[in-house]
Amino acid sequence: MRKAAVAEPKISVESKINARLPAALLIAAVTLAVFWPALENQFVNWDDDKNFLTNPAFRGLAVSNLRWMWTTFHLGHYHPLTWMSLGLDYVIWGLDPTGYHLTNVLLHTANAVLFYLVALRLLGGKIWTAAAAALLFAVHPLRVESVAWVSERRDVLSGVFYLLSVLAYLRAQKEGPRGRWLAASLAAFAAALLSKVIVVSLPIVLLLLDIYPLRRGPRWREKIPYFALAFAAGWAALAGQQTGVAGFAGHVTMRAGLRVELSLYGLVFYVWKTISPFGLYPQYAWSGSVSPLDPLLLATAALAVAATAAAVALRSRYPALLTVWGCYVVSLLPVLSIARLDPQQSVADHHTYLATLGLALLAAAGLTALRAPEAATLAALVVVGLAALTRQQIGVWRDPLSLWTRTLAGAPDSAVAHNNLGEALGARARLEEAIPQFERALQIKPAYVEAYYNLGLVRRKQGRLQAATQCFEQALQIDPTLAPVHNDLANCYAVLGRKQEALEQYRLALRYQPDFANAHYNLGNLLQSEGQLTEAISRYQEALRLNPALVDAHNNWGVTLDALHRPTEAIGHYRQALLLDPQNADAHNNLGSSLEAQGKTKEAMAHYREALRLNPSHRDARANLTRLVRQSQASRQ
């Protein structure tokens, strides 16, 4: 006699959500609490300056901004969705770094929750094991570089779309309609690629998940669209690197064997730093040249090969081990030395952002081997310890001085760190302290263009124009295509009275960078001083087209119009300058002069007084005001 089948009780969607919600809220709360101090951090002079502080192109979401975002390979990268998120930040916050850091923290918090949802599916619905995995990922000190460095918005934004793609893919395997979930996964993958190309390895990760834990064998056909997108993004990234990074040629000529060794070193390095997250630095630089016979390289290469062999040998007994190791390796491939451009920096903390997700899963799953009380206690202790280290690491990124001081503590032979510390000191007018940093950078790397350039800028601030010109000229001997160096060399020539040479340098700056607003402005000033007023106006006009916030261009355009006896037009530009910068004493004084020429003496006196309030030592404003006061007194007598 057959037994009647007993129907299993169905768990409603609402019940599932209610069961999972407390863990999700806990993960979000802990992640926000740990990373909240990042909101006090500033922009740093490591890409932040080039991406935001001196780059007007990203500021907003106008058609011109969007066109730039979707076509630029700025600093050698293509990530239009990341630029759009930063443009939105600018619309809301301007250039206040607090808002940009808040966005990074919120995106990272979203990734922690999304990873929890992914882990739930990969771990068979074990809520607190999945929560432990999410927290081990979210509060680890290796995450700090991706979250506390605004320029790495690419990591946290691409992470959102990457995890959404994985989540949709996993849902497609068990929940209908399958086609729609796969389409959603593919769309999220495309968005991830448009945020940062490092996610290019996702199709291989999905194939590995097919094998384990899905246990259904790799489904190649459904991955064809993923591979097509990955190929297109990889090709675009390679093109951007060749055009946007000067180090590409040096990378190509580096010996293949050494690149492989450095890549294997990276695999071991990141695992070790995940297990022991001490001694984390913004940059890890090799001292001197890197030898393929270096004992550390040989040992780590052997260890990486042994780990791979062990994962393969144990695949039947421990299939999760091979999946985690495989996902880890393929996720790191785009940033290992086999593909990277800079042989002096083979590793960086932010490279671990997505690659170590599997390691967090494996660690959390290992905790379940313990009894519940011991597992919960150990997990809590580890999370608290990691959170404390993360809080400490966030402080490293507080400002440029703390960033590069910390870097030099771990990498004293880093030319980049010495140069950037000197730059930070120079920005704080600590010029005598900055100079030895640039000189040390040049000792380590004699052909370091940026160090020559920054040393020249400091010499110019000191008033040592001849020494500054020598630094700029040396920089241009190394790389004659650097528009900013041509521009600053021209500025020095102009002050030294070498007008023809200055004119040539401005034109070279604009040949190499036609959209260089400051070079147009400076050339306009030189032309104005030479009496070429009409051409000067055309340069001011172009400078303002490229950078509408260039206050001095409006002011000097007004001065030029006054020289052409067009005071009404001049007044319009002075007023525009004051709309942009009400504290501009020169614009107040010049506006007063133009108003006085039109007989509006009362209004003119008000602007002279405002100029003196803002700048009590403004000689022209004082002379103009004194003259008007005397005329007024004489007329009353």
Side-chain angles (χ1 to χ4, degrees):
M1 184 176 179
R2 291 185 178 180
K3 292 183 179 180
V6 178
E8 295 183 4
K10 290 185 177 181
I11 302 175
S12 68
V13 173
E14 184 178 354
S15 298
K16 288 184 178 180
I17 293 175
N18 289 338
R20 297 170 179 180
L21 186 59
L25 292 175
L26 174 66
I27 292 162
V30 170
T31 305
L32 281 172
V34 170
F35 280 91
W36 199 255
L39 272 63
E40 300 176 6
N41 289 8
Q42 302 174 14
F43 292 122
V44 294
N45 60 333
W46 196 12
D47 291 353
D48 284 356
D49 49 348
K50 299 180 181 69
N51 282 331
F52 315 123
L53 302 182
T54 61
N55 176 24
F58 94 97
R59 297 174 187 171
L61 294 173
V63 173
S64 58
N65 301 119
L66 293 172
R67 184 184 303 112
W68 180 84
M69 293 170 183
W70 283 86
T71 57
T72 187
F73 282 90
H74 185 66
L75 300 185
H77 302 291
Y78 184 72
H79 43 74
L81 289 187
T82 296
W83 280 122
M84 288 178 68
S85 75
L86 292 162
L88 179 60
D89 273 338
Y90 181 80
V91 170
I92 300 171
W93 308 101
L95 285 176
D96 182 353
T98 301
Y100 296 75
H101 286 296
L102 175 61
T103 303
N104 273 23
V105 170
L106 292 176
L107 288 170
H108 179 59
T109 302
N111 285 331
V113 175
L114 285 171
F115 181 46
Y116 161 67
L117 297 177
V118 169
L120 273 173
R121 293 182 173 273
L122 295 177
L123 296 172
K126 297 176 181 177
I127 292 176
W128 293 106
T129 306
L135 287 172
L136 290 174
F137 158 75
V139 305
H140 198 285
L142 284 174
R143 305 292 87 79
V144 171
E145 191 162 295
S146 296
V147 181
W149 182 14
V150 178
S151 284
E152 275 307 317
R153 170 69 56 82
R154 301 173 296 167
D155 279 343
V156 289
L157 185 62
S158 65
V160 169
F161 294 119
Y162 180 96
L163 289 166
L164 283 173
S165 182
V166 174
L167 187 59
Y169 181 80
L170 293 174
R171 293 194 70 169
Q173 312 315 311
K174 295 184 178 181
E175 300 174 21
R178 174 177 165 78
R180 290 183 185 178
W181 283 118
L182 285 176
S185 173
L186 189 65
F189 178 48
L193 290 168
L194 292 170
S195 303
K196 187 175 183 179
V197 76
I198 194 173
V199 300
V200 72
S201 60
L202 177 62
I204 302 176
V205 170
L206 297 181
L207 286 170
L208 290 169
L209 293 179
D210 284 345
I211 298 170
Y212 187 85
L214 297 179
R215 298 181 184 273
R216 60 178 200 165
R219 297 191 177 182
W220 290 94
R221 182 176 297 178
E222 68 182 18
K223 306 302 185 302
I224 291 174
Y226 292 90
F227 278 108
L229 288 174
F231 176 81
W235 179 85
L238 184 61
Q241 287 181 336
Q242 292 188 48
T243 58
V245 181
F248 184 79
H251 164 75
V252 170
T253 57
M254 185 197 281
R255 285 170 291 180
L258 180 57
R259 292 204 302 271
V260 170
E261 279 189 283
L262 287 170
S263 298
L264 295 173
Y265 165 79
L267 293 177
V268 174
F269 177 88
Y270 294 131
V271 172
W272 173 243
K273 288 299 181 184
T274 299
I275 297 169
S276 178
F278 301 96
L280 301 182
Y281 300 101
Q283 189 182 50
Y284 305 90
W286 291 91
S287 298
S289 59
V290 186
S291 169
L293 298 179
D294 186 294
L296 179 61
L297 283 183
L298 293 173
T300 52
L303 191 57
V305 171
T308 305
V312 173
L314 297 171
R315 64 187 183 278
S316 298
R317 188 173 180 182
Y318 302 109
L321 188 62
L322 180 58
T323 296
V324 168
W325 184 251
C327 291
Y328 171 73
V329 172
V330 299
S331 297
L332 282 173
L333 275 179
V335 291
L336 293 175
S337 291
I338 200 74
R340 274 185 61 78
L341 305 182
D342 186 359
Q344 294 301 313
Q345 188 187 3
S346 59
V347 292
D349 290 355
H350 66 273
H351 294 163
T352 67
Y353 192 76
L354 295 176
T356 54
L357 291 172
L359 300 182
L361 274 173
L362 199 62
L367 289 174
T368 61
L370 302 174
R371 289 184 298 175
E374 288 84 350
T377 302
L378 181 58
L381 289 173
V382 171
V383 168
V384 169
L386 292 176
L389 291 172
T390 293
R391 280 291 191 98
Q392 185 179 16
Q393 190 69 11
I394 288 171
V396 171
W397 291 85
R398 186 168 302 276
D399 57 49
L401 284 179
S402 63
L403 177 70
W404 299 113
T405 301
R406 172 64 176 172
T407 302
L408 287 173
D413 290 331
S414 168
V416 170
H418 281 290
N419 173 74
N420 290 9
L421 178 57
E423 192 176 59
L425 290 166
R428 298 193 178 197
R430 295 163 62 176
L431 305 184
E432 293 300 329
E433 296 175 71
I435 289 170
Q437 298 298 331
F438 298 132
E439 292 174 340
R440 177 58 183 146
L442 289 167
Q443 288 175 356
I444 298 169
K445 188 177 178 182
Y448 194 1
V449 173
E450 285 195 23
Y452 274 120
Y453 177 49
N454 287 327
L455 182 57
L457 292 176
V458 168
R459 296 297 193 197
R460 192 181 71 184
K461 287 181 181 178
Q462 292 178 317
R464 301 173 59 184
L465 295 184
Q466 292 289 359
T469 59
Q470 290 175 4
C471 292
F472 295 144
E473 287 166 351
Q474 285 176 302
L476 290 172
Q477 286 179 6
I478 300 168
D479 186 351
T481 68
L482 296 173
V485 185
H486 283 292
N487 177 66
D488 283 294
L489 178 58
N491 291 339
C492 289
Y493 284 158
V495 176
L496 291 169
R498 298 161 64 175
K499 300 293 181 68
Q500 192 57 41
E501 292 170 276
L503 183 64
E504 180 183 349
Q505 291 299 319
Y506 285 134
R507 296 198 187 282
L508 282 171
L510 291 170
R511 177 194 300 175
Y512 294 119
Q513 189 178 334
D515 61 349
F516 193 173
N518 284 348
H520 283 287
Y521 165 72
N522 290 328
L523 177 55
N525 290 341
L526 179 60
L527 293 168
Q528 183 202 65
S529 70
E530 294 295 290
Q532 301 178 46
L533 303 184
T534 303
E535 189 175 350
I537 286 175
S538 70
R539 293 297 175 177
Y540 294 139
Q541 187 174 17
E542 183 64 9
L544 285 165
R545 184 188 70 80
L546 294 166
N547 182 5
L550 200 55
V551 176
D552 289 336
H554 274 297
N555 182 62
N556 289 8
W557 190 345
V559 172
T560 309
L561 289 166
D562 269 331
L564 289 169
H565 308 292
R566 293 155 60 181
T568 302
E569 294 174 72
I571 287 172
H573 285 284
Y574 296 139
R575 292 195 188 281
Q576 188 63 36
L578 290 172
L579 280 175
L580 293 168
D581 180 13
Q583 310 299 310
N584 191 308
D586 286 337
H588 278 291
N589 175 69
N590 293 336
L591 177 55
S593 295
S594 294
L595 290 167
E596 183 183 351
Q598 292 189 334
K600 301 175 181 179
T601 55
K602 187 175 181 181
E603 191 177 351
M605 289 177 70
H607 282 287
Y608 292 146
R609 287 193 175 99
E610 183 64 11
L612 283 170
R613 186 187 70 80
L614 295 168
N615 181 7
S617 62
H618 200 298
R619 293 182 180 180
D620 288 344
R622 185 170 299 281
N624 289 334
L625 181 60
T626 301
R627 176 175 41 76
L628 270 187
V629 169
R630 287 175 179 172
Q631 288 175 359
S632 176
Q633 291 172 344
S635 66
R636 285 199 299 270
Q637 293 175 355

